[in-house]
Amino acid sequence: MHTRIEQLCLDKGMKMTEQRRVIARALSESTDHPDVEQVYQRASELDPRISIATVYRTVRLFEEANILERHDFGDGRARYEEAGHRDHHHHLINLRSGEVVEFESEELEALKRKIAVELGYKIVGERLELYGIPIDDGDEPKGAGQN
Amino acid sequence: MHTRIEQLCLDKGMKMTEQRRVIARALSESTDHPDVEQVYQRASELDPRISIATVYRTVRLFEEANILERHDFGDGRARYEEAGHRDHHHHLINLRSGEVVEFESEELEALKRKIAVELGYKIVGERLELYGIPIDDGDEPKGAGQN
DNA sequence: GTATGTGCAAATGATTTGCGTGCTT
DNA sequence: AAGCACGCAAATCATTTGCACATAC
């Protein structure tokens, strides 16, 4: 049995090396948004004979094949998640904990398209992230906030 | 007479060097979203005795003082624009020409807030960019966008 | 067997920083 | 005068790449 990602690679006729299999597995098993270093560590646990250069190359290959989606959450390194595996969604980054919350909104998708059309463009890519702090986190003692 | 940015610096009690004044001027005169290299070039034209290290330091200083807004349009370098100078807006990047189109939408702002509240967060930052191609531009984009 | 992938280390490119000197307050 | 600010070059950091060797098909 192989992973979803491995299957996609096979479908696309990629040459499947042990490294790619292992990286595919590491990614398929991830439910978060690991950066390359984390993918490297997870893959290394499955098979230590992997170099980080290969992880960079593979992650890039997968991204170009639309198997992975690359994100940039503002911390300077790229983060990845399996593409198309779930519904179209966006991310809200909890600035207190670093946690990434996924959300989706058909209303939002419609509005985006409407805005683009009004400007005379067809959307072919986008980036939408919200950065927030939990409400009732103790950050705003009483009514001191100035929303 | 000094620029809007220079005035802000003075208000904040910053030590005003000739370099800062010149960088402030270069930025105030810009209506686009220059990267550091461009700010450096524009500032150098006003006064050549400036090093790019100073531009990096100054642009960072201004950003931390909320005088500038930093953007990342996916080309690997940071781009800047004067903060709060105009209404809150977002960017649509024309992938054919690289042109950056600004847009705003109160509907979008409201929706963002609504989404955040439903998730239990208060938005303290965000990033929203659309990447598009002009409608009626002829052929399809090469990158096989499937967003 | 041949094209392609991999490991390693060196190269990049953007940005930051240590240090000695110069300028603002 | 004292403390930042500056210029320069070296240092970082994430990522890419050249090269010699290994491997999938």
Side-chain angles (χ1 to χ4, degrees):
Chain A
M1 190 37 203
H2 38 232
T3 62
R4 295 177 299 269
I5 292 180
E6 194 182 343
Q7 185 59 56
L8 286 168
C9 292
L10 293 169
D11 294 347
K12 289 167 194 278
M14 287 180 187
K15 186 185 283 191
M16 286 314 283
T17 62
E18 177 61 13
Q19 286 87 334
R20 289 186 181 173
R21 236 184 302 279
V22 163
I23 292 169
R25 167 106 71 97
L27 287 164
S28 276
E29 290 177 353
S30 297
T31 59
D32 52 346
H33 309 75
D35 59 32
V36 171
E37 186 65 42
Q38 291 173 307
V39 175
Y40 172 55
Q41 284 169 10
R42 293 174 195 181
S44 295
E45 281 173 28
L46 300 174
D47 184 330
R49 52 172 175 166
I50 276 191
S51 79
I52 195 159
T54 295
V55 177
Y56 270 106
R57 276 189 276 238
T58 303
V59 124
R60 192 178 211 255
L61 174 76
F62 287 0
E63 191 208 338
E64 283 165 359
N66 293 314
I67 290 172
L68 289 184
E69 243 177 75
R70 176 172 51 190
H71 297 294
D72 166 17
F73 293 158
D75 54 6
R77 52 227 137 103
R79 317 189 80 95
Y80 294 88
E81 77 176 314
E82 201 174 333
H85 173 213
R86 332 250 296 261
D87 283 336
H88 185 73
H89 62 271
H90 299 287
H91 301 93
L92 187 153
I93 293 89
N94 179 336
L95 289 179
R96 284 240 189 287
S97 65
E99 181 198 2
V100 178
V101 180
E102 302 185 341
F103 67 87
E104 52 187 286
S105 163
E106 190 39 56
E107 209 176 337
L108 180 57
E109 302 311 309
L111 181 52
K112 270 177 358 199
R113 279 190 296 270
K114 183 182 132 198
I115 289 172
V117 167
E118 283 173 359
L119 293 170
Y121 289 86
K122 174 178 158 198
I123 296 180
V124 298
E126 68 186 280
R127 170 183 281 173
L128 169 47
E129 293 134 34
L130 301 181
Y131 296 82
I133 56 176
I135 294 174
D136 294 332
D137 188 33
D139 170 71
E140 297 178 56
K142 300 159 256 170
Q146 71 294 306
N147 273 7
Chain B
M1 191 38 201
H2 39 232
T3 63
R4 295 177 298 269
I5 292 180
E6 195 184 341
Q7 185 59 57
L8 286 169
C9 292
L10 292 171
D11 294 347
K12 290 169 195 278
M14 287 180 185
K15 187 185 282 190
M16 287 313 285
T17 63
E18 177 62 13
Q19 286 87 335
R20 288 187 182 172
R21 235 184 303 277
V22 163
I23 293 169
R25 167 109 69 99
L27 287 164
S28 277
E29 288 177 353
S30 297
T31 57
D32 53 346
H33 308 75
D35 60 32
V36 171
E37 187 65 42
Q38 291 173 306
V39 174
Y40 172 55
Q41 285 169 9
R42 293 173 196 183
S44 295
E45 281 173 28
L46 300 176
D47 185 331
R49 54 174 173 163
I50 276 191
S51 80
I52 195 160
T54 295
V55 178
Y56 271 106
R57 276 189 275 237
T58 304
V59 123
R60 192 179 212 254
L61 175 75
F62 287 179
E63 191 209 339
E64 284 165 0
N66 292 312
I67 290 173
L68 289 184
E69 243 177 74
R70 175 172 53 191
H71 296 295
D72 166 17
F73 293 158
D75 53 7
R77 51 229 136 101
R79 318 189 80 94
Y80 294 87
E81 78 176 313
E82 201 174 334
H85 174 212
R86 333 247 298 257
D87 282 337
H88 186 72
H89 62 270
H90 300 288
H91 302 92
L92 187 153
I93 293 91
N94 180 336
L95 288 179
R96 285 243 190 282
S97 66
E99 181 197 2
V100 177
V101 181
E102 302 185 340
F103 67 87
E104 52 188 285
S105 164
E106 189 40 56
E107 207 176 338
L108 180 57
E109 302 310 309
L111 181 52
K112 272 178 355 201
R113 279 191 296 269
K114 184 183 130 196
I115 289 171
V117 167
E118 284 172 359
L119 293 171
Y121 289 85
K122 173 180 159 192
I123 296 180
V124 298
E126 68 186 280
R127 170 185 280 172
L128 169 47
E129 293 134 33
L130 300 180
Y131 296 83
I133 57 175
I135 293 173
D136 295 331
D137 186 36
D139 53 353
E140 292 293 304
K142 48 193 172 175
Q146 71 302 300
N147 273 323

